[in-house]
């Protein structure tokens, strides 16, 4: 088993801040891979070309991952969970 999951043939790593956010929501880097593969783009604002912002619905919550392409690997720069309400 590899220590880091791979997305588009690049490893996924996390910044210290993103790792703390993952730990706070009791999730791990493998869940980021799931969000990138099965999630949908959910950017609210314009981001740089090399940044992906994907979300996935889990129960009544939305899990959001923001990942930057650093050439040889993907770097998780933000992870968040928020409520979902139908309007």
């Amino acid at each position: 088993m590899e220590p880091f999951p791979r997305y588009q043939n690049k490893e996924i790593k996390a910044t210290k801040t993103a790792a703390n956010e993952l730990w706070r929501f009791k999730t791990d880097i493998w869940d980021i891979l799931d969000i990138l593969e099965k999630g949908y783009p959910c950017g609210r604002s314009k981001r740089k070309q090399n940044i992906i912002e994907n979300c996935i619905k889990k129960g009544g919550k939305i899990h959001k991952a923001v990942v930057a392409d650093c050439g040889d690997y993907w770097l998780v720069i933000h992870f968040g969970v928020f409520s979902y309400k139908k309007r």
Side-chain angles (χ1 to χ4, degrees):
M1 186 170 161
E2 295 181 20
F4 296 106
R6 297 182 80 80
Y7 176 68
Q8 294 180 350
N9 219 14
K10 298 179 187 178
E11 290 183 344
I12 301 172
K13 299 179 181 182
T15 63
K16 184 176 179 180
T17 304
N20 288 338
E21 292 170 345
L22 289 168
W23 183 81
R24 187 175 67 198
F25 292 113
K26 296 176 179 58
T27 188
D28 62 6
I29 203 83
W30 292 94
D31 293 326
I32 299 297
L33 176 64
D34 189 45
I35 292 171
L36 290 173
E37 289 178 341
K38 299 176 184 171
Y40 56 91
C42 63
R44 290 186 175 233
S45 62
K46 184 108 172 135
R47 295 211 183 243
K48 291 182 181 178
Q49 291 288 332
N50 65 334
I51 296 181
I52 297 174
E53 189 172 355
N54 273 9
C55 294
I56 194 168
K57 292 180 188 174
K58 290 187 178 182
K61 303 280 184 178
I62 294 181
H63 294 225
K64 179 182 200 175
V66 181
V67 183
D69 184 4
C70 294
D72 295 336
Y73 58 91
W74 293 99
L75 185 65
V76 180
I77 55 176
H78 174 66
F79 177 79
V81 176
F82 54 93
S83 309
Y84 170 72
K85 291 183 181 179
K86 281 189 174 182
R87 292 184 184 204

